[in-house]
Structure formats: C-alpha cells, structure tokens
Amino acid sequence: MSKEFRKIIHIDMDAFYASIEQRDNPELRGVPIAVGGTGGRGVVATASYEARKYGIHSAMPAHLALRIYPRLVFVQPNFEKYQQVSAKIHEIFRRYTPIIEPLSLDEAFLDVTYSDFHLPSATLLAKQIKKDIQEELNLIASAGISYNKFLAKIASDQDKPDGLFVILPEQGPEFIKELPIEKFFGVGKVTAERMKDNDIFKGADLLRFSKIELYQLFGKMGGFLYNIARGIDYREVKSERKRKSVGVESTFPNDIVDEIVIIERFTQIFEAWWKRYQSHQKSGKSVTLKVRNQDFETLTRSFTDENYITDKLKVRAQLEELLFETIELGAPLRLLGISISGFETNEEGIGRQLTLW
Ligand code: DCP
Ligand code: MG
C-alpha cells in the first residue's frame, strides 16, 4: 500500500529573518522586532512572533507597524547572512535526501520516499531535521509531512511555530474539503477570485464540478483543481540535480585583449564556477566554455568526459586549452563563461521505502 505514495516533507523556518537577528543579538530576544526598512516606503519583511501578537506582519508598511506598536524595534535586513544560513539548512537537508526543491531561502520540499538514512519513517526524519536545525543553527523550523507537495506545504503551516504536522493518505481528501481556497498552494489571486465568483470557497465546493466543467472555468488549472480536490497532486519535487546546467559567466566592463588579463579573469570565473559546481553536490560530464567577442558574436565549445568531472586541475587545464583554441589572440573579449551539464539522473531506486508516520 505504501508503494504508491511518495513521502514528502516541507520545511518552513519560523519568522526566518527575525529569528536570525534575535539569535545573533541577545538584546532582541523576547522583544517585538521587525526586519525591514523604516524609510518612506519601508515595509516589514518579517516580524518576530512577539510583534505578531500586535498584528504586525510581513508586507505591512513600516509607518503603520510603528503606529500600532511605537516601540517596535526595526532591524536592517542582512540578506547575505540569511543566504548563508539557508545554505547551512540545505547542508542539513542533504544528509537525508538529494531531492530538495527550495521555494525560497527559508522553505523547501524534500522527497524522502527513498532514503538510505536509518530512520524508517518520514515523520521521524522530519523530527530529526528539526532537531539538527535547532541544535546546530539555533533556529526553529516547522515541518509538514504528507504524500504530496500540496499537502506537505499546507501541513507545515498547520502547527506553526515549531510545528510538526502529518497528513496521511487516508486523511488527505477530508482535509482538503475544509481547506479555504486562499490556502491552496499553486493557486494565484486571479484563479482564487474566479473560484469565488463560482461560489467555490473551500475544497469541498470543487467536488460539485466535473473535470470538464473545471477545464471550462479555469483552463489548464482545471485539471489540477479537479485532482487537488481529491487529494491528488502529481507534481514532483524538482531537485537542483534536475537543473540542466550549472554555470558562471561574466561580461567585462571593458573588452579585454591582454593575454595576462584574460588568464586572470578566466581564473576568477573558473574558481567561482568550480565553487558553485561543488556546492550543487551533483556530478556532470560535459563542460562548456562560452566566449563573446567585440562584435557580440558568441562561440561555445564543449568537451565531454567519460567519467564525472571531479579533478579540478585537469578540468582547468582542459578549459584553458580550449579557451586559447577558441579566442583569436588580440581580438577583444567581451564575455567569458563556464558551465557544466550532463548530470547524473538516477536519484530514485536508492535506499528503501519509508513509512509516512
Ligand atoms: N519575506 C519578505 N517579504 C514577505 C514575506 C516574507 O521579505 N512579504 C521574507 C522574510 C521572511 C522570509 O521571507 O523571514 C520567509 O517568509 P515566510 O513567509 O516563511 O515568513 P517567516 O519565515 O518570517 O514566518 P513564518 O514563521 O510565518 O514562516
Ligand atoms: Mg517561514
């Protein structure tokens, strides 16, 4: 029975930016804070849970938030830091599955249908991920666990903060019946309005319509809505591995001619590309070099290795050789890029099936 069902975890960090700021500045702990700008058109990016009690929330204009709670502490966002924290959260995810699809810095789907990890259930695995995040990063995450993306995403919001919520296959259809359409993940504002025009306010209301009627009303979305109303969502968790290539390129502020400068720029781009390639934790076999000259003529040259590319020095030497075969010496160079593709695709069928609960 469990065979047909996938096991998906959706992780969403609690008050992400605000929690990081409170973690790193003890004076802000327990205090209503907002991360965001206070300038003329400043808005609250996120509010700490202490501030939310007063009704302060994301996207609220700063002046309004301050009117509601004049002692609200505003903290300037530090996106670089949030990105670094996000990368660390992803390192934790990767211990448990390679199939990770980020939705934003603080949210991601994990497909753990097959996992080599020693825990036998997706719920226990989600608990372990929350524990790792808390112990190693001193931050709280909420987790939703279910058999598809739609329900996993809804589930992570059910029990926030510090949530852990499971929706089992037999509970899915009932759960959706009561779900207001504003909470439908994947349904935009326009579709939501059209749903209301047709007296559709919650999942159960969709069941009145045939598939054809839903297609007539909502176009392509119709099929999706028909399935969702029955707890069915076939969308895959699209991992970074499924991205076709990983590359870095740079257009130079001034065209470059000098061979020494070309090597210097090549080295910078190569290093940045290699770092990105490593951080994506996937192996590719084909490397492509892209150059653009003064006349905007773009040339690409590739080579493919029999084995996955892991030897930094070797690939650097190959690329350098290719570069000097490709560019005309003395001709000004406008853009240089390196990318890798031909990634391994086998990510299922490894490990064993987990139970959902
Ligand atoms: N964010 C933003 N502007 C918004 C919404 C969010 O800049 N309108 C940023 C700040 C958040 C982060 O994205 O910290 C994550 O968004 P969430 O919607 O997940 O909100 P939080 O993580 O802050 O809170 P919650 O505990 O409700 O998930
Ligand atoms: Mg969040």
Side-chain angles (χ1 to χ4, degrees), residues 12-16 52 106-107 160:
D12 187 330
M13 301 300 293
D14 297 336
F16 188 53
R52 290 182 199 197
D106 89 317
E107 257 183 83
K160 246 180 186 299

Side-chain angles (χ1 to χ4, degrees), residues 12-18 43-47 49 52 58-59 79 104-107 142 157 160-161:
D12 187 330
M13 301 300 293
D14 297 336
F16 188 53
Y17 299 175
V43 292
V44 175
T46 194
Y49 277 89
R52 290 182 199 197
S58 296
F79 296 108
S104 66
L105 282 185
D106 89 317
E107 257 183 83
S142 289
D157 209 32
K160 246 180 186 299

Side-chain angles (χ1 to χ4, degrees), residues 2 26 52 62 92 137-138 142 162 174 225 229-230 251 290:
S2 75
R52 290 182 199 197
I92 292 174
L137 304 174
N138 214 345
S142 289
D162 200 11
E174 283 303 311
L225 292 172
R230 289 156 181 79
T251 303
K290 179 171 158 186

Side-chain angles (χ1 to χ4, degrees), residues 125-282:
L125 217 137
K127 251 190 196 163
Q128 182 67 41
I129 291 170
K130 274 164 62 77
K131 188 164 173 250
D132 288 358
I133 292 175
Q134 167 138 41
E135 287 179 359
E136 296 169 35
L137 304 174
N138 214 345
L139 293 169
I140 310 285
S142 289
I145 302 110
S146 199
Y147 59 99
N148 63 42
K149 284 168 85 169
F150 184 86
L151 285 165
K153 164 97 178 159
I154 305 291
S156 71
D157 209 32
Q158 286 299 306
D159 194 23
K160 246 180 186 299
D162 200 11
L164 184 81
F165 195 89
V166 191
I167 301 173
L168 300 174
E170 54 269 35
Q171 299 168 325
E174 283 303 311
F175 196 89
I176 288 169
K177 276 188 192 166
E178 292 312 312
L179 195 69
I181 55 159
E182 293 78 27
K183 293 211 167 178
F184 273 43
F185 160 61
V187 169
K189 281 209 176 95
V190 177
T191 307
E193 280 311 311
R194 189 170 305 166
M195 285 167 91
K196 286 180 187 163
D197 290 344
N198 286 282
D199 286 330
I200 302 167
F201 299 98
K202 58 180 192 171
D205 299 329
L206 282 167
L207 296 171
R208 296 199 310 266
F209 297 85
S210 70
K211 196 180 245 183
I212 290 172
E213 286 168 333
L214 288 175
Y215 271 113
Q216 283 165 345
L217 284 170
F218 301 105
K220 262 196 293 185
M221 275 302 271
F224 171 74
L225 292 172
Y226 182 86
N227 283 337
I228 283 299
R230 289 156 181 79
I232 299 165
D233 173 13
Y234 294 120
R235 288 173 298 183
E236 272 180 84
V237 177
K238 290 216 184 70
S239 63
E240 290 174 341
R241 279 168 191 257
K242 292 213 169 135
R243 233 181 264 162
K244 292 210 168 65
S245 69
V246 169
V248 169
E249 64 177 47
S250 180
T251 303
F252 309 119
N254 303 305
D255 294 352
I256 48 176
V257 194
D258 190 307
E259 198 180 320
I260 295 175
V261 182
I262 291 177
I263 284 287
E264 209 177 273
R265 292 295 136 81
F266 166 79
T267 305
Q268 283 167 353
I269 291 165
F270 175 82
E271 290 296 333
W273 165 73
W274 186 259
K275 201 169 151 199
R276 188 170 294 181
Y277 173 41
Q278 297 308 88
S279 79
H280 277 264
Q281 300 241 323
K282 54 185 165 184

